[in-house]
Coordinates of all heavy atoms in Angstrom, one line a residue:
M572 N 6.1 5.6 30.7 CA 5.5 5.5 29.4 C 4.5 4.4 29.3 O 4.9 3.2 29.6 CB 6.5 5.5 28.3 CG 6.1 6.2 27.1 SD 7.5 6.4 26.0 CE 7.5 4.8 25.0
A573 N 3.3 4.6 28.9 CA 2.3 3.7 28.8 C 2.6 2.6 27.5 O 3.1 3.1 26.5 CB 1.0 4.3 28.5
K574 N 2.4 1.5 27.8 CA 2.7 0.4 26.8 C 1.5 0.5 25.7 O 0.4 0.6 26.1 CB 2.7 -1.0 27.4 CG 3.4 -2.0 26.5 CD 3.6 -3.3 27.2 CE 4.3 -4.2 26.4 NZ 3.5 -4.7 25.2
K575 N 2.0 0.5 24.5 CA 1.0 0.6 23.4 C 0.4 -0.8 23.2 O 1.0 -1.7 23.5 CB 1.6 1.0 22.1 CG 1.8 2.5 22.0 CD 2.2 2.8 20.6 CE 2.2 4.3 20.3 NZ 2.5 4.6 19.0
F576 N -0.8 -0.8 22.6 CA -1.5 -2.0 22.2 C -0.6 -2.7 21.1 O 0.2 -2.0 20.5 CB -2.9 -1.8 21.8 CG -3.8 -1.6 22.9 CD1 -4.3 -0.2 23.1 CD2 -4.2 -2.6 23.6 CE1 -5.1 0.0 24.2 CE2 -5.1 -2.4 24.7 CZ -5.6 -1.1 24.9
H577 N -0.9 -3.9 20.8 CA -0.2 -4.6 19.8 C -0.7 -4.1 18.4 O -1.7 -4.6 18.0 CB -0.3 -6.0 19.9 CG 0.4 -6.6 21.1 ND1 1.8 -6.7 21.1 CD2 -0.1 -6.9 22.3 CE1 2.1 -7.1 22.3 NE2 1.0 -7.4 23.0
E578 N -0.1 -3.0 17.9 CA -0.5 -2.6 16.6 C 0.4 -3.4 15.6 O 1.6 -3.5 15.7 CB -0.1 -1.1 16.5 CG -1.0 -0.2 17.4 CD -0.5 1.2 17.3 OE1 -0.9 1.9 16.4 OE2 0.4 1.6 18.1
P579 N -0.3 -3.8 14.6 CA 0.5 -4.5 13.5 C 1.5 -3.6 12.8 O 1.3 -2.4 12.5 CB -0.6 -4.9 12.5 CG -1.9 -4.3 12.9 CD -1.6 -3.6 14.1
I580 N 2.7 -4.1 12.6 CA 3.8 -3.4 12.0 C 3.9 -3.8 10.5 O 3.9 -5.0 10.2 CB 5.1 -3.6 12.7 CG1 5.1 -3.3 14.2 CG2 6.3 -2.9 12.0 CD1 4.9 -1.8 14.5
R581 N 3.9 -2.7 9.7 CA 4.0 -3.1 8.2 C 5.2 -2.3 7.6 O 5.7 -1.4 8.2 CB 2.7 -2.6 7.5 CG 1.4 -3.5 8.0 CD 1.5 -4.9 7.4 NE 0.4 -5.6 7.9 CZ 0.3 -6.4 8.9 NH1 1.2 -6.6 9.7 NH2 -0.8 -7.0 9.2
M582 N 5.5 -2.7 6.3 CA 6.6 -2.2 5.7 C 6.3 -1.4 4.5 O 5.5 -1.8 3.7 CB 7.7 -3.2 5.4 CG 9.0 -2.7 4.9 SD 10.2 -4.0 4.5 CE 9.5 -4.5 2.9
C583 N 6.9 -0.1 4.4 CA 6.6 0.7 3.1 C 7.4 0.1 2.1 O 8.6 -0.2 2.2 CB 7.1 2.1 3.4 SG 7.2 3.2 2.0
I584 N 6.8 -0.1 0.9 CA 7.4 -0.8 -0.3 C 8.5 0.1 -0.9 O 9.3 -0.3 -1.7 CB 6.5 -1.3 -1.3 CG1 5.6 -0.1 -2.0 CG2 5.5 -2.4 -0.8 CD1 5.2 -0.4 -3.4
S585 N 8.4 1.4 -0.6 CA 9.3 2.4 -1.3 C 10.7 2.5 -0.4 O 11.7 2.3 -1.0 CB 8.8 3.7 -1.5 OG 9.6 4.6 -2.2
C586 N 10.5 2.9 0.8 CA 11.8 3.1 1.6 C 12.0 1.9 2.5 O 13.1 1.9 3.2 CB 11.6 4.3 2.4 SG 10.3 4.3 3.7
R587 N 11.1 1.0 2.6 CA 11.3 -0.3 3.5 C 11.4 0.1 5.0 O 11.9 -0.7 5.7 CB 12.5 -1.1 3.0 CG 12.3 -1.6 1.7 CD 13.5 -2.4 1.1 NE 13.3 -2.8 -0.2 CZ 12.6 -3.8 -0.7 NH1 12.0 -4.6 0.2 NH2 12.4 -4.0 -2.0
Q588 N 10.9 1.2 5.3 CA 10.8 1.6 6.7 C 9.6 0.9 7.3 O 8.5 0.8 6.6 CB 10.7 3.1 7.0 CG 11.9 3.8 6.6 CD 13.0 3.6 7.6 OE1 12.9 3.6 8.9 NE2 14.2 3.3 7.1
R589 N 9.7 0.4 8.6 CA 8.6 -0.2 9.2 C 7.9 0.8 10.0 O 8.4 1.6 10.7 CB 8.9 -1.3 10.0 CG 9.3 -2.5 9.1 CD 10.2 -3.6 9.9 NE 10.9 -4.5 9.0 CZ 10.3 -5.5 8.3 NH1 9.1 -5.8 8.5 NH2 11.0 -6.3 7.5
D590 N 6.6 0.7 10.1 CA 5.7 1.6 10.9 C 4.5 0.8 11.2 O 4.1 -0.2 10.7 CB 5.4 2.9 10.2 CG 5.2 4.0 11.2 OD1 4.9 3.8 12.3 OD2 5.3 5.2 10.7
T591 N 3.7 1.4 12.2 CA 2.4 0.8 12.5 C 1.5 0.9 11.3 O 1.5 1.9 10.5 CB 1.8 1.4 13.7 OG1 1.6 2.8 13.5 CG2 2.6 1.2 15.0
Q592 N 0.6 0.0 11.2 CA -0.3 0.0 10.0 C -1.1 1.4 9.9 O -1.4 1.8 8.8 CB -1.3 -1.2 10.1 CG -2.0 -1.6 8.9 CD -2.8 -2.8 9.1 OE1 -2.3 -3.8 9.7 NE2 -4.0 -2.8 8.5
F593 N -1.3 1.9 11.0 CA -2.1 3.1 11.2 C -1.5 4.4 10.5 O -2.1 5.2 9.9 CB -2.3 3.4 12.7 CG -3.1 4.8 12.9 CD1 -4.4 4.8 12.7 CD2 -2.4 5.9 13.3 CE1 -5.1 6.0 13.0 CE2 -3.1 7.1 13.5 CZ -4.4 7.2 13.4
N594 N -0.1 4.3 10.5 CA 0.6 5.4 9.8 C 0.9 5.2 8.3 O 1.6 6.0 7.7 CB 1.9 5.6 10.6 CG 1.8 6.3 11.9 OD1 0.9 7.2 12.0 ND2 2.4 5.9 12.9
L595 N 0.4 4.1 7.8 CA 0.7 3.8 6.4 C -0.6 3.8 5.7 O -1.6 3.7 6.0 CB 1.4 2.4 6.3 CG 2.7 2.2 7.1 CD1 3.1 0.7 7.2 CD2 3.8 2.9 6.4
T596 N -0.3 4.1 4.3 CA -1.5 4.0 3.4 C -1.5 2.7 2.7 O -0.5 2.2 2.2 CB -1.4 5.2 2.3 OG1 -1.3 6.3 3.0 CG2 -2.5 5.1 1.3
R597 N -2.7 2.0 2.8 CA -2.8 0.7 2.3 C -3.4 0.7 0.9 O -4.5 1.3 0.7 CB -3.6 -0.1 3.2 CG -3.6 -1.6 2.9 CD -4.4 -2.4 3.9 NE -4.0 -3.8 3.9 CZ -4.4 -4.7 4.8 NH1 -5.3 -4.4 5.7 NH2 -4.0 -6.0 4.6
L598 N -2.7 0.0 0.0 CA -3.1 0.0 -1.4 C -3.0 -1.4 -1.9 O -2.4 -2.2 -1.4 CB -2.3 1.0 -2.3 CG -2.3 2.4 -1.9 CD1 -1.1 3.1 -2.5 CD2 -3.6 3.1 -2.4
R599 N -3.6 -1.6 -3.2 CA -3.4 -2.9 -3.8 C -3.2 -2.6 -5.3 O -3.5 -1.5 -5.8 CB -4.4 -3.8 -3.5 CG -5.8 -3.6 -4.2 CD -6.9 -4.5 -3.7 NE -8.1 -4.0 -4.2 CZ -8.7 -4.5 -5.2 NH1 -8.2 -5.6 -5.7 NH2 -9.9 -4.0 -5.7
C600 N -2.7 -3.6 -6.0 CA -2.5 -3.6 -7.4 C -3.4 -4.6 -8.0 O -3.3 -5.8 -7.6 CB -1.0 -3.9 -7.6 SG -0.3 -2.6 -8.7
E601 N -4.0 -4.2 -9.1 CA -4.8 -5.1 -9.9 C -4.5 -4.9 -11.3 O -4.8 -3.8 -11.9 CB -6.3 -4.8 -9.5 CG -7.3 -5.8 -9.9 CD -8.7 -5.4 -9.5 OE1 -9.3 -4.5 -10.3 OE2 -9.2 -5.8 -8.5
N602 N -4.1 -6.0 -12.0 CA -3.8 -5.9 -13.4 C -3.0 -4.7 -13.8 O -3.3 -4.0 -14.8 CB -5.1 -5.9 -14.2 CG -6.0 -7.1 -13.9 OD1 -5.5 -8.1 -13.7 ND2 -7.2 -6.8 -13.9
G603 N -1.9 -4.5 -12.9 CA -1.0 -3.4 -13.3 C -1.5 -2.0 -13.0 O -0.8 -1.1 -13.3
Q604 N -2.7 -1.9 -12.4 CA -3.1 -0.6 -12.0 C -3.4 -0.6 -10.4 O -3.7 -1.6 -9.9 CB -4.4 -0.3 -12.8 CG -5.1 1.1 -12.5 CD -4.1 2.3 -12.6 OE1 -3.1 2.5 -12.0 NE2 -4.6 3.3 -13.4
L605 N -3.2 0.6 -9.9 CA -3.5 0.8 -8.4 C -5.0 0.7 -8.1 O -5.8 1.2 -8.9 CB -3.0 2.1 -8.0 CG -1.4 2.2 -7.8 CD1 -1.2 3.7 -7.5 CD2 -0.9 1.3 -6.8
A606 N -5.3 0.3 -6.9 CA -6.7 0.3 -6.5 C -6.7 0.5 -5.1 O -5.7 0.1 -4.4 CB -7.4 -1.1 -6.9
P607 N -7.8 1.0 -4.5 CA -7.8 1.1 -3.0 C -8.0 -0.3 -2.5 O -8.6 -1.2 -3.1 CB -9.1 2.0 -2.8 CG -9.8 2.1 -4.1 CD -9.0 1.6 -5.2
F608 N -7.5 -0.4 -1.3 CA -7.6 -1.7 -0.7 C -9.1 -1.9 -0.1 O -9.6 -1.0 0.6 CB -6.6 -1.9 0.4 CG -6.8 -3.3 1.1 CD1 -6.3 -4.4 0.4 CD2 -7.2 -3.4 2.4 CE1 -6.4 -5.6 1.0 CE2 -7.3 -4.7 3.0 CZ -6.9 -5.8 2.2
E609 N -9.7 -2.9 -0.4 CA -11.0 -3.2 0.0 C -11.3 -4.4 0.8 O -12.3 -5.0 0.8 CB -12.0 -3.3 -1.3 CG -12.1 -1.9 -1.9 CD -12.5 -2.0 -3.4 OE1 -12.3 -3.0 -4.0 OE2 -13.1 -1.0 -3.9
G610 N -10.2 -4.7 1.5 CA -10.4 -5.9 2.5 C -10.1 -7.2 1.9 O -9.9 -8.2 2.7
I611 N -9.8 -7.4 0.6 CA -9.5 -8.7 0.1 C -8.2 -8.6 -0.8 O -8.0 -7.5 -1.3 CB -10.6 -9.4 -0.7 CG1 -11.3 -8.4 -1.7 CG2 -11.6 -10.1 0.2 CD1 -12.0 -9.0 -2.9
G612 N -7.5 -9.7 -0.9 CA -6.4 -9.8 -1.9 C -5.1 -9.2 -1.2 O -5.1 -8.8 -0.2
R613 N -4.2 -9.2 -2.1 CA -2.8 -8.8 -1.7 C -2.7 -7.3 -1.6 O -3.2 -6.6 -2.5 CB -1.8 -9.3 -2.7 CG -0.4 -9.3 -2.3 CD 0.4 -10.1 -3.4 NE 1.8 -9.8 -3.3 CZ 2.6 -9.5 -4.3 NH1 2.1 -9.5 -5.5 NH2 3.9 -9.3 -4.1
S614 N -2.2 -6.8 -0.6 CA -2.1 -5.3 -0.5 C -0.6 -4.9 -0.2 O 0.2 -5.7 0.1 CB -3.0 -4.8 0.6 OG -2.6 -5.3 1.8
F615 N -0.3 -3.7 -0.3 CA 0.9 -3.2 0.1 C 0.8 -1.8 0.8 O -0.3 -1.2 0.8 CB 1.9 -3.1 -1.1 CG 1.4 -2.1 -2.1 CD1 1.9 -0.8 -2.2 CD2 0.6 -2.5 -3.1 CE1 1.5 0.2 -3.1 CE2 0.2 -1.5 -4.1 CZ 0.7 -0.2 -4.0
Y616 N 1.9 -1.3 1.4 CA 1.8 -0.1 2.1 C 2.8 1.0 1.7 O 3.9 0.6 1.2 CB 2.2 -0.4 3.6 CG 1.1 -1.3 4.2 CD1 1.2 -2.7 4.1 CD2 0.0 -0.8 4.9 CE1 0.3 -3.5 4.7 CE2 -1.0 -1.7 5.4 CZ -0.8 -3.0 5.3 OH -1.7 -3.9 5.9
L617 N 2.4 2.2 1.8 CA 3.3 3.3 1.6 C 3.3 4.3 2.8 O 2.2 4.5 3.4 CB 2.9 4.1 0.4 CG 3.1 3.4 -0.9 CD1 2.4 4.1 -2.1 CD2 4.6 3.3 -1.3
C618 N 4.4 4.8 3.2 CA 4.4 5.7 4.3 C 4.1 7.1 3.8 O 4.2 7.4 2.6 CB 5.8 5.6 5.1 SG 7.2 6.3 4.2
K619 N 3.9 8.0 4.7 CA 3.6 9.3 4.5 C 4.7 10.2 3.8 O 4.6 11.0 3.0 CB 3.1 10.1 5.7 CG 1.7 9.6 6.1 CD 1.3 10.1 7.4 CE -0.1 9.6 7.7 NZ -0.3 9.3 9.2
I620 N 5.9 9.8 4.2 CA 7.0 10.6 3.6 C 7.2 10.2 2.2 O 7.4 11.0 1.3 CB 8.3 10.1 4.4 CG1 8.2 10.6 5.9 CG2 9.6 10.7 3.8 CD1 9.2 9.8 6.9
C621 N 7.1 8.8 1.8 CA 7.2 8.4 0.4 C 6.1 9.0 -0.4 O 6.3 9.2 -1.6 CB 7.3 6.9 0.3 SG 8.9 6.2 0.9
L622 N 5.0 9.2 0.1 CA 3.8 9.7 -0.6 C 4.2 11.1 -1.2 O 3.6 11.6 -2.1 CB 2.5 9.7 0.2 CG 1.8 8.4 0.4 CD1 0.7 8.6 1.4 CD2 1.4 7.8 -0.9
N623 N 5.1 11.8 -0.5 CA 5.5 13.0 -1.0 C 6.8 13.1 -1.8 O 7.3 14.1 -2.2 CB 5.7 14.0 0.2 CG 4.3 14.3 0.8 OD1 3.3 14.7 0.1 ND2 4.3 14.2 2.1
E624 N 7.4 11.9 -2.0 CA 8.6 11.8 -2.9 C 8.3 11.2 -4.1 O 8.4 9.9 -4.3 CB 9.6 11.0 -2.1 CG 10.2 11.8 -0.9 CD 11.5 11.2 -0.3 OE1 12.1 10.5 -1.0 OE2 11.7 11.5 0.9
E625 N 7.7 12.0 -5.0 CA 7.2 11.4 -6.3 C 8.1 10.5 -7.2 O 7.6 9.5 -7.5 CB 6.7 12.7 -7.0 CG 5.6 12.3 -8.0 CD 4.7 13.5 -8.4 OE1 4.3 14.2 -7.4 OE2 4.4 13.6 -9.6
K626 N 9.4 10.9 -7.3 CA 10.3 10.1 -8.1 C 10.5 8.8 -7.5 O 10.5 7.7 -8.3 CB 11.5 10.9 -8.3 CG 11.6 12.1 -9.3 CD 12.7 12.0 -10.3 CE 12.4 12.8 -11.5 NZ 13.2 14.0 -11.5
K627 N 10.8 8.7 -6.3 CA 11.1 7.5 -5.6 C 9.8 6.6 -5.7 O 9.9 5.4 -5.9 CB 11.5 7.7 -4.2 CG 12.7 7.0 -3.7 CD 13.0 7.5 -2.3 CE 13.0 6.4 -1.3 NZ 13.2 6.9 0.1
L628 N 8.7 7.2 -5.4 CA 7.5 6.6 -5.4 C 7.0 5.9 -6.7 O 6.6 4.8 -6.8 CB 6.4 7.6 -5.0 CG 5.0 7.2 -4.6 CD1 5.1 6.2 -3.5 CD2 4.2 8.4 -4.2
Q629 N 7.3 6.7 -7.8 CA 7.0 6.1 -9.1 C 7.7 4.9 -9.4 O 7.3 3.9 -9.9 CB 7.5 7.2 -10.2 CG 6.6 8.4 -10.4 CD 7.1 9.4 -11.3 OE1 8.3 9.3 -11.8 NE2 6.4 10.5 -11.6
K630 N 9.1 4.8 -9.0 CA 9.8 3.6 -9.2 C 9.3 2.4 -8.4 O 9.2 1.3 -8.9 CB 11.3 3.9 -8.8 CG 12.1 4.6 -9.8 CD 13.5 4.7 -9.4 CE 14.3 5.6 -10.4 NZ 15.6 5.9 -9.9
A631 N 8.9 2.7 -7.2 CA 8.4 1.7 -6.4 C 7.1 1.1 -6.9 O 6.8 -0.1 -7.0 CB 8.2 2.1 -4.9
L632 N 6.3 2.0 -7.4 CA 5.0 1.5 -7.8 C 5.1 0.9 -9.2 O 4.4 -0.2 -9.4 CB 4.1 2.8 -8.0 CG 3.6 3.6 -6.8 CD1 2.8 4.8 -7.3 CD2 2.7 2.7 -6.0
M633 N 6.0 1.3 -10.0 CA 6.2 0.6 -11.3 C 6.8 -0.9 -11.1 O 6.3 -1.8 -11.7 CB 7.2 1.4 -12.2 CG 6.5 2.7 -12.8 SD 7.6 3.3 -14.1 CE 8.9 4.0 -13.3
R634 N 7.7 -0.9 -10.1 CA 8.2 -2.2 -9.8 C 7.1 -3.1 -9.1 O 7.0 -4.2 -9.6 CB 9.3 -1.9 -8.8 CG 10.3 -3.2 -8.6 CD 11.4 -2.8 -7.6 NE 10.8 -2.4 -6.3 CZ 11.4 -1.3 -5.7 NH1 12.3 -0.6 -6.1 NH2 10.8 -1.0 -4.5
Y635 N 6.4 -2.5 -8.2 CA 5.4 -3.4 -7.6 C 4.2 -3.8 -8.4 O 3.8 -4.9 -8.4 CB 4.8 -2.6 -6.3 CG 4.2 -3.5 -5.4 CD1 4.8 -4.2 -4.4 CD2 2.7 -3.8 -5.6 CE1 4.2 -5.2 -3.6 CE2 2.2 -4.7 -4.7 CZ 2.9 -5.3 -3.8 OH 2.2 -6.2 -3.0
C636 N 3.8 -2.8 -9.2 CA 2.6 -3.2 -10.1 C 3.1 -3.7 -11.4 O 2.3 -4.1 -12.3 CB 1.8 -1.9 -10.3 SG 1.0 -1.3 -8.9
R637 N 4.4 -3.8 -11.7 CA 4.9 -4.4 -13.0 C 4.3 -3.7 -14.1 O 3.9 -4.2 -15.1 CB 4.7 -5.8 -13.0 CG 5.4 -6.7 -12.0 CD 5.5 -8.1 -12.4 NE 6.1 -8.9 -11.3 CZ 5.5 -9.5 -10.3 NH1 4.2 -9.4 -10.1 NH2 6.2 -10.2 -9.4
S638 N 4.3 -2.3 -14.0 CA 3.7 -1.5 -15.0 C 4.8 -0.4 -15.3 O 5.5 0.1 -14.5 CB 2.5 -0.9 -14.5 OG 2.1 0.2 -15.4
G639 N 4.9 0.0 -16.6 CA 5.7 1.2 -17.0 C 4.9 2.4 -17.2 O 5.6 3.5 -17.5
E640 N 3.7 2.4 -16.9 CA 2.8 3.5 -17.1 C 2.8 4.4 -15.7 O 1.8 4.4 -15.1 CB 1.5 3.1 -17.5 CG 1.4 2.4 -18.8 CD 0.1 2.0 -19.2 OE1 -0.7 2.8 -19.8 OE2 -0.3 0.9 -18.9
K641 N 3.9 5.1 -15.6 CA 4.1 5.9 -14.3 C 3.0 6.9 -14.1 O 2.6 7.1 -13.1 CB 5.4 6.3 -14.1 CG 6.0 7.3 -15.1 CD 7.3 8.0 -14.5 CE 7.6 9.1 -15.4 NZ 8.5 8.8 -16.4
D642 N 2.6 7.6 -15.3 CA 1.7 8.7 -15.1 C 0.3 8.2 -14.7 O -0.4 8.8 -13.8 CB 1.5 9.4 -16.4 CG 2.8 10.2 -16.8 OD1 3.6 10.5 -15.7 OD2 3.0 10.5 -17.9
K643 N 0.0 7.1 -15.3 CA -1.3 6.4 -15.0 C -1.3 6.0 -13.5 O -2.3 6.2 -12.8 CB -1.4 5.1 -15.8 CG -2.9 4.7 -16.2 CD -2.9 3.6 -17.2 CE -4.0 2.6 -16.9 NZ -3.8 1.4 -17.7
L644 N -0.2 5.4 -13.1 CA -0.1 5.0 -11.6 C -0.2 6.2 -10.7 O -0.9 6.1 -9.7 CB 1.2 4.2 -11.4 CG 1.3 2.8 -12.1 CD1 2.7 2.3 -11.9 CD2 0.4 1.9 -11.4
M645 N 0.6 7.2 -11.1 CA 0.6 8.4 -10.1 C -0.8 9.1 -10.0 O -1.2 9.6 -9.0 CB 1.7 9.4 -10.6 CG 3.1 8.9 -10.4 SD 3.5 8.3 -8.7 CE 3.6 9.7 -7.8
N646 N -1.4 9.1 -11.2 CA -2.8 9.8 -11.2 C -3.7 9.0 -10.4 O -4.6 9.6 -9.6 CB -3.3 9.9 -12.6 CG -2.5 11.0 -13.5 OD1 -1.9 11.9 -12.9 ND2 -2.6 10.9 -14.8
K647 N -3.7 7.7 -10.5 CA -4.6 6.9 -9.8 C -4.3 7.0 -8.2 O -5.2 7.1 -7.5 CB -4.4 5.4 -10.2 CG -5.4 4.4 -9.6 CD -6.8 4.8 -10.2 CE -7.8 3.9 -9.4 NZ -9.2 4.2 -9.9
L648 N -3.0 7.0 -7.9 CA -2.6 7.2 -6.5 C -3.2 8.4 -5.9 O -3.7 8.4 -4.8 CB -1.1 7.2 -6.4 CG -0.6 7.4 -5.0 CD1 -0.9 6.2 -4.1 CD2 0.9 7.7 -5.0
K649 N -3.0 9.5 -6.6 CA -3.6 10.8 -6.2 C -5.1 10.7 -5.9 O -5.6 11.3 -4.9 CB -3.1 12.0 -7.1 CG -1.7 12.4 -6.9 CD -1.2 13.3 -7.9 CE 0.3 13.4 -7.8 NZ 1.0 13.9 -9.0
E650 N -5.7 10.1 -6.9 CA -7.1 10.0 -6.9 C -7.5 9.2 -5.5 O -8.5 9.5 -4.8 CB -7.6 9.1 -8.0 CG -9.0 9.2 -8.4 CD -9.3 8.3 -9.6 OE1 -8.8 8.5 -10.7 OE2 -10.1 7.4 -9.4
I651 N -6.7 8.1 -5.3 CA -7.1 7.3 -4.2 C -6.9 8.0 -2.8 O -7.8 8.0 -1.9 CB -6.4 6.0 -4.2 CG1 -6.8 5.1 -5.4 CG2 -6.5 5.1 -2.9 CD1 -5.8 4.0 -5.7
I652 N -5.7 8.6 -2.7 CA -5.4 9.2 -1.4 C -6.2 10.5 -1.2 O -6.5 10.9 0.0 CB -3.9 9.5 -1.2 CG1 -3.3 10.4 -2.2 CG2 -3.1 8.2 -1.0 CD1 -1.8 10.6 -2.1
T653 N -6.7 11.1 -2.3 CA -7.6 12.4 -2.1 C -9.0 11.9 -1.6 O -9.6 12.4 -0.7 CB -7.7 13.2 -3.4 OG1 -6.4 13.4 -3.9 CG2 -8.4 14.4 -3.2
D654 N -9.5 10.7 -2.2 CA -10.7 10.1 -1.8 C -10.7 9.8 -0.3 O -11.8 9.8 0.3 CB -10.9 8.9 -2.6 CG -11.7 9.1 -3.8 OD1 -11.9 10.4 -4.1 OD2 -12.2 8.2 -4.5
D655 N -9.6 9.4 0.2 CA -9.5 8.9 1.6 C -9.7 10.0 2.6 O -10.0 9.7 3.8 CB -8.0 8.2 1.7 CG -8.1 7.0 2.2 OD1 -9.1 6.2 1.9 OD2 -7.2 6.5 2.9
R656 N -9.3 11.2 2.3 CA -9.4 12.2 3.3 C -10.7 12.9 3.6 O -11.6 12.8 2.7 CB -8.3 13.4 3.0 CG -6.9 12.8 3.2 CD -5.9 13.7 2.7 NE -4.6 12.9 2.8 CZ -3.5 13.2 2.1 NH1 -3.5 14.3 1.4 NH2 -2.5 12.5 2.3
Ligands
LIG1572 ZN1 8.3 5.0 2.7

């Protein structure tokens, strides 16, 4: 088996599983609202499995962004990940 390059390993904030950065969605939080990561500031990661687990994801986002507005967070998340594809 060929040895992989040193890919950075990051942790999903929802399930705390570690994966390579490539397999995770990188986001950031700004004033309690989600934003796409643009190369600066503090960011966090979500794995593909958690992106499909809405309930669990809402909790993680509210906790991380310190916001109670879960609908606002989820709508923004959908907007960001749709833009990405
Ligand atoms: Zn996860």
Side-chain angles (χ1 to χ4, degrees):
M572 209 167 90
K574 196 174 185 292
K575 277 191 171 182
F576 284 105
H577 293 284
E578 293 175 85
I580 302 295
R581 297 288 182 264
M582 189 177 77
C583 167
I584 60 153
S585 181
C586 63
R587 298 179 185 277
Q588 290 291 313
R589 286 167 198 278
D590 206 339
T591 57
Q592 198 172 320
F593 178 78
N594 285 321
L595 299 163
T596 299
R597 191 174 199 178
L598 298 162
R599 72 193 171 97
C600 225
E601 194 179 77
N602 306 320
Q604 177 60 299
L605 286 173
F608 183 68
E609 287 159 338
I611 44 154
R613 194 169 163 227
S614 64
F615 65 92
Y616 296 86
L617 287 168
C618 72
K619 285 171 183 150
I620 298 159
C621 288
L622 284 176
N623 290 311
E624 289 193 24
E625 205 151 314
K626 280 229 164 106
K627 225 172 120 187
L628 191 56
Q629 282 174 357
K630 282 189 187 167
L632 291 177
M633 286 193 289
R634 194 176 59 224
Y635 193 88
C636 294
R637 296 192 181 93
S638 165
E640 297 178 88
K641 64 169 191 270
D642 294 335
K643 208 171 138 191
L644 291 169
M645 292 307 285
N646 287 338
K647 188 68 186 177
L648 177 71
K649 277 168 194 160
E650 198 185 299
I651 294 168
I652 57 182
T653 309
D654 269 7
D655 232 33
R656 281 168 193 167

